[in-house]
Amino acid sequence: RKRSPINRSPVFRRKSTMTAAIPLLFLLLGILPFATSLTLIPQARVKSALHSVSESDRLDTVAFNHIEFVCGDARITSAYFRSALGLVPYAESNLGTGNGVCASYAATSGDFRLVFTAPYGAPPVDGDAPSPLPSWGAFDARNFFARHGTAVRAVGLEVRDCLAAYDAAVAGGGGIACPPAFVPFCRGVDGGAGLGKYVAELELYGDTVLRLVGPVVADLGGGSYEEIEDPDPTLPFLPHLNPVSGSILDEGGGKYGIRRLDHCVGNVPDMQLVLKYMRSMMGYHDFAEFTREDVGTVNSGLNSVVLASATEDVLLPVNEPTAGKIKSQIQTYLEQNDGPGVQHLALSTDDIFRTISLMKDAAVGFELMAKPSENYYRTLPERLGKRLTESQYQMVEELGILADAENEGVLLQIFTRPVADRPTFFVEIIQRIGCTITTGRDDATGKSKEGDVDGVKVNNIDNLIIIGQRPGCGGFGKGNFKELFKSIEDYEKTLKI
């Protein structure tokens, strides 16, 4: 794709290759001779088979790219999160790479990526690494940390065209945080010479920005570039980062089995005002809505709306506090965070029992919310019936996990307590069960067939392949919110706030 940031007319030129097309061709033709009767393939490889892009998505969003925290000490904070969540060290930018203004450490688990950044006190020094992202400012970073503590500064989205997404978002009323800029890959990165990515930032809510990360492109000079059709998959997801020695982008769920970021939740004082802004800027649609009657207690509650990208692979819930007998947990967050911000990240795993068991055994880890009451687990089978097995019910109670169901799916979830000094940011671990999308060949007709595995007789399908799961399967724990709120209310009583 050849584009100029000055003249952004849609003229495209691609370097073609058959490498990525061959597996998809075989899938479409139904000639997977070595497939078993039920085969699981990575969801990232089948997005085109699952979704079609709607024009309502102004950004043409692909997926979450990363989440970046600003903190006081990036190395220590990164190590803390890695131990607690089983993340794998991936890349860095610091004095050792020639970055004299800040330290950044990236860690991954499956498709989930975190970046931790802290400013240096010394003046910039010359080195081998390019400057940090164009929006970086040490003064602003120090102010952000002083105001919010360790908190999410950027919600990074991968988009198909950074310049086009930025233009569309600004046309939709998006506030500019940083215009698009070409960021070259760190010098010394294998396969990165002359390549980079365009990165831009827009105001999201409070001091949190929405960071748009484009595809890998070649800098042709004179403000023009060419998109690389099949870039080296080992290139860093953010170009200014330098992969640590021997690192690879983890695709196996890290050490504890975390696969991806399911949704990123923000707390704001006026939800409708923020939703109007986000809908206009991003073109995302309403995916789910909850009110105080759905998710509160007699004492406190919240209103919440979940916004989704066209493919619904990016889910962004937005919460606001509601009035009650005591202060809403959302109001507590807004006060302690000194304004709006990201409240929590929901991380998805394929085996929540294994993931939580490993988190509990971590030498340095996050404290989990208090276990629900015995009555909760006694009545759980009445709500879910045979959706869970007897052994699953036992494990859910043993580990203090919450369970809920919606339509054909089940949601298992558990929350940590706030992970830093302030009672603000926390983590949710979830597993979605059901809503499986499959494809295969019908024995009767010989034609390709697609459907939900829960509603299809497997023995009537040849070479049945699970190609993904419907986004938001099992909901967001509507039936658990009252139990969760009570736990948070009890916890906040101990804080004297």
Side-chain angles (χ1 to χ4, degrees):
R1 183 183 328 197
K2 188 176 182 181
R3 295 284 300 278
S4 166
I6 306 301
N7 179 17
R8 298 178 184 172
S9 57
V11 179
F12 302 99
R13 179 158 67 93
R14 293 182 180 273
K15 293 183 177 180
S16 62
T17 176
M18 289 295 292
T19 305
I22 291 174
L24 181 59
L25 178 62
F26 276 88
L27 174 63
L28 295 177
L29 292 176
I31 47 177
L32 295 175
F34 302 108
T36 60
S37 60
L38 190 64
T39 306
L40 180 65
I41 61 178
Q43 187 174 353
R45 290 165 50 190
V46 294
K47 293 297 184 189
S48 60
L50 288 173
H51 307 299
S52 60
V53 176
S54 165
E55 291 185 4
S56 66
D57 186 342
R58 286 178 171 271
L59 307 181
D60 201 356
T61 310
V62 177
F64 284 112
N65 182 274
H66 68 281
I67 299 292
E68 182 176 31
F69 286 82
V70 165
C71 53
D73 190 297
R75 183 187 293 273
I76 292 175
T77 307
S78 174
Y80 172 43
F81 274 73
R82 291 201 314 268
S83 175
L85 297 174
L87 308 180
V88 177
Y90 173 66
E92 61 188 24
S93 178
N94 50 31
L95 287 171
T97 65
N99 175 5
V101 297
C102 67
S104 290
Y105 295 89
T108 69
S109 182
D111 292 330
F112 175 54
R113 305 158 179 171
L114 287 182
V115 181
F116 303 90
T117 301
Y120 285 131
V125 297
D126 294 331
D128 295 331
S131 299
L133 295 174
S135 61
W136 174 260
F139 179 79
D140 292 336
R142 292 188 186 98
N143 283 345
F144 182 94
F145 180 66
R147 181 177 182 184
H148 306 295
T150 297
V152 173
R153 167 73 171 86
V155 177
L157 300 182
E158 180 184 348
V159 295
R160 301 186 193 280
D161 187 321
C162 180
L163 300 180
Y166 173 84
D167 286 345
V170 172
I176 299 172
C178 180
F182 177 79
V183 181
F185 284 105
C186 186
R187 285 187 288 274
V189 172
D190 292 341
L195 304 180
K197 294 184 178 184
Y198 273 91
V199 179
E201 292 180 0
L202 300 155
E203 296 172 355
L204 187 56
Y205 37 67
D207 291 331
T208 306
V209 300
L210 186 70
R211 179 175 293 154
L212 309 179
V213 182
V216 176
V217 297
D219 185 9
L220 302 180
S224 296
Y225 69 88
E226 181 180 55
E227 182 177 341
I228 305 302
E229 176 75 6
D230 287 309
D232 186 341
T234 64
L235 290 173
F237 57 86
L238 279 178
H240 71 296
L241 297 175
N242 185 40
V244 297
S245 178
S247 73
I248 58 173
L249 193 60
D250 174 68
E251 296 180 353
K255 298 177 180 179
Y256 300 169
I258 291 172
R259 294 288 182 179
R260 62 184 293 269
L261 172 58
D262 187 89
H263 55 275
C264 172
V265 185
N267 285 351
V268 301
D270 188 333
M271 181 181 69
Q272 291 302 328
L273 184 66
V274 173
L275 289 174
K276 181 179 179 181
Y277 168 75
M278 291 176 65
R279 291 186 189 113
S280 179
M281 172 178 67
M282 304 170 72
Y284 282 20
H285 63 271
D286 290 11
F287 185 84
E289 181 177 6
F290 307 96
T291 65
R292 177 182 174 179
E293 288 71 27
D294 297 318
V295 299
T297 68
V298 295
N299 294 316
S300 66
L302 60 79
N303 294 322
S304 181
V305 170
V306 182
L307 294 183
S309 62
T311 64
E312 299 180 344
D313 289 320
V314 172
L315 301 175
L316 298 174
V318 179
N319 301 333
E320 71 174 358
T322 58
K325 293 182 180 179
I326 63 175
K327 188 188 304 181
S328 166
Q329 60 156 298
I330 310 303
Q331 184 60 37
T332 297
Y333 172 96
L334 294 171
E335 293 174 1
Q336 295 296 315
N337 189 65
D338 197 7
V342 171
Q343 178 208 44
H344 79 270
L345 302 176
L347 312 181
S348 178
T349 173
D350 293 335
D351 185 350
I352 194 170
F353 304 132
R354 174 178 178 271
T355 297
I356 297 305
S357 295
L358 291 170
M359 287 179 63
K360 285 175 173 282
D361 291 340
V364 178
F366 298 155
E367 185 179 1
L368 298 173
M369 277 292 180
K371 185 177 178 179
S373 64
E374 290 185 8
N375 183 63
Y376 172 85
Y377 292 108
R378 188 162 51 248
T379 60
L380 191 59
E382 298 175 9
R383 290 201 293 119
L384 301 188
K386 295 183 179 180
R387 291 175 181 264
L388 296 180
T389 65
E390 184 177 343
S391 62
Q392 286 175 324
Y393 278 119
Q394 292 174 350
M395 289 297 294
V396 161
E397 182 172 6
E398 180 181 326
L399 295 172
I401 294 170
L402 302 166
D404 196 29
E406 184 176 289
N407 298 325
E408 71 270 32
V410 173
L411 175 71
L412 304 180
Q413 61 185 159
I414 191 169
F415 299 82
T416 73
R417 287 185 170 173
V419 303
D421 293 332
R422 305 188 192 195
T424 50
F425 177 81
F426 59 89
V427 171
E428 177 186 5
I429 305 296
I430 69 171
Q431 181 181 353
R432 299 189 183 276
I433 302 173
C435 316
T436 309
I437 303 173
T438 65
T439 188
R441 189 168 60 253
D442 192 312
D443 287 344
T445 65
K447 295 181 179 180
S448 176
K449 185 172 183 178
E450 182 174 323
D452 295 340
V453 71
D454 301 324
V456 174
K457 293 182 179 179
V458 175
N459 58 1
N460 288 341
I461 300 294
D462 185 32
N463 291 332
L464 183 66
I465 301 173
I466 297 176
I467 62 174
Q469 185 181 61
R470 297 195 186 283
C473 177
F476 294 84
K478 177 180 176 180
N480 293 327
F481 274 106
K482 284 182 170 59
E483 192 73 29
L484 173 64
F485 261 62
K486 184 179 183 304
S487 178
I488 294 176
E489 288 169 1
D490 292 342
Y491 170 67
E492 290 186 348
K493 288 177 183 177
T494 68
L495 304 178
K496 307 296 189 290
I497 54 176

